[in-house]
């Protein structure tokens, strides 16, 4: 069976360097907020092209802490509205509600399935304060008009870049478009730790300063607490391993792009809709997501042919019990997508033979069978 993501194969390619990095941390005797973190933060800020990077415990905290920092800085108040695409992973929405703000879920753009300026116009209210575009599946789209709207209306923009390390539009990478961005280093992400991890990028020095305090009990000087913070730090072991994997990220992304190009060229089946390919560089192919009206039959067919798949995501946030109070609104495109999407195997360690097997299995699908 070809797994949708073979994490063991992904990390095996870095095994010796990862072990050397861990050994250095173990022997250093310093395990939280040390030089491995500072070095990784500088490297990841440079990689994205932003002034600051703040490592935190995970991607959810990265997003939530930005919103909480904006509150601490007086830029947001309880109950302010954050517009977010409804077809996202639930963490985008949890970050908003955890921070005492109100999520406004809207259907995504029918063309690229991200947040678009045209789509969100009717949802702007006097309480709208933040736009949260999600670079879903690794694709960055529609940022110039979105930023123009945000500047015109004096709105803050928080990119959910958890799936989009290195994706770029007009030569600018994810993490540099908005006022801040949250990244995840969950093991399955394009830049994955061997445990939990996350980071914020921003070019706002005041925000970066507040975030460094918030992630560390609201303290910059030991036992002096300016804010009610949390404990959410990227530890030295994870930071050291992420520095190793960051060196290979562009090559890994290139391999993902080749796999995606092979799928796009090779899969030809009237029942399978292929993902849209935007401008060069805009997609880092965290996931290769096709659509099929007979999705469940396609998934069974592929499993029988030895091809693993996954669904991102089977139940949108507003249909979860956790957000029962948001279930009322009509979000037809989001619901349609949740019934039709299917993620094919994708990753830097997929072999050409596996890619060919996936393509053949897709091309053999008929809904009647
Ligand atoms: C993974 C992910 C997150 C959360 O990241 P964690 O590190 O798992 O907390 C947030 N948003 C999106 C779109 C994600 O894919």
């Amino acid at each position: 069976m070809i797994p949708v993501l073979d994490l063991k194969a992904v990390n095996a390619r870095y095994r010796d360097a990862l072990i050397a990095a861990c050994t250095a941390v173990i022997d250093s005797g310093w395990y939280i907020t040390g030089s491995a973190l500072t070095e990784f933060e500088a490297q990841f800020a440079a990689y994205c092209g932003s002034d600051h990077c703040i490592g935190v415990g995970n991607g959810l905290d990265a997003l939530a802490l930005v919103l909480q920092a904006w509150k601490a800085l007086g830029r947001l108040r309880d109950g302010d509205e954050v517009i977010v695409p409804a077809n996202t992973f639930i963490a985008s929405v949890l970050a908003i509600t955890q921070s005492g703000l109100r999520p406004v879920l809207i259907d995504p753009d029918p063309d690229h399935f991200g947040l678009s300026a045209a789509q969100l116009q009717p949802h702007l209210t006097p309480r709208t304060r933040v736009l949260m575009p999600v670079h879903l599946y690794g694709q960055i789209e529609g940022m110039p008009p979105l930023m123009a709207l945000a500047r015109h209306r004096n709105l803050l923009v928080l990119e959910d870049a958890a799936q989009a390390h290195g994706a770029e539009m007009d030569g600018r990478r994810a993490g540099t478009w908005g006022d801040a961005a949250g990244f995840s280093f969950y093991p399955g992400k394009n830049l994955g730790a061997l445990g939990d991890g996350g980071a914020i990028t921003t070019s706002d020095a005041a925000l970066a300063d507040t975030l460094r305090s918030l992630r560390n009990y609201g303290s910059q000087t030991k036992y002096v607490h300016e804010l009610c913070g949390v404990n959410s730090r990227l530890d030295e072991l994870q930071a050291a391993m992420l520095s190793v994997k960051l060196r290979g990220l562009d090559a890994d992304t290139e391999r993902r792009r080749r796999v995606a190009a092979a799928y796009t060229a090779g899969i030809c089946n009237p029942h399978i809709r292929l993902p849209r390919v935007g401008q060069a560089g805009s997609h880092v192919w965290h996931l290769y997501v096709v659509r099929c009206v007979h999705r469940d039959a396609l998934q069974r067919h592929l499993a029988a042919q030895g091809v693993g798949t996954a669904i991102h995501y089977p139940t949108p946030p507003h249909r979860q019990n956790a957000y029962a109070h948001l279930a009322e609104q009509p979000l037809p495109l989001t619901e349609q997508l949740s019934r039709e999407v299917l993620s094919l195997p994708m990753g830097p360690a997929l072999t050409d033979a596996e890619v060919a097997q996936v393509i053949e299995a897709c091309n053999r699908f008929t809904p009647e069978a």
Side-chain angles (χ1 to χ4, degrees), residues 58-61 63 88-89 91-92 134 136 160 162-163 184-186 189 196-197 313:
N58 54 69
L60 169 58
D61 284 358
L63 296 168
T88 188
F89 178 56
S92 318
V134 180
L136 203 65
D160 181 339
Q163 303 187 356
S184 166
F185 306 125
Y186 175 79
K189 299 287 158 83
D196 274 313
Y313 298 95

Side-chain angles (χ1 to χ4, degrees), residues 47-118:
Y47 178 83
C48 294
S50 77
D51 290 351
H52 309 279
C53 169
I54 303 95
V56 294
N58 54 69
L60 169 58
D61 284 358
L63 296 168
L65 289 174
V66 170
L67 296 170
Q68 289 161 31
W70 279 335
K71 286 175 91 175
L73 290 164
R75 297 181 199 168
L76 293 179
R77 282 178 301 152
D78 275 335
D80 280 347
E81 293 174 0
V82 182
I83 299 184
V84 61
N87 59 327
T88 188
F89 178 56
I90 197 163
S92 318
V93 187
L94 288 171
I96 299 168
T97 54
Q98 273 183 12
S99 306
L101 304 168
R102 217 171 78 70
V104 176
L105 302 170
I106 71 167
D107 258 343
D109 187 278
D111 190 24
H112 57 69
F113 308 122
L115 197 64
S116 74

Side-chain angles (χ1 to χ4, degrees), residues 259-275:
V259 171
Y263 284 163
T264 300
I267 299 173
C268 181
N269 185 324
H271 303 290
I272 300 176
R273 283 172 72 173
L274 302 182

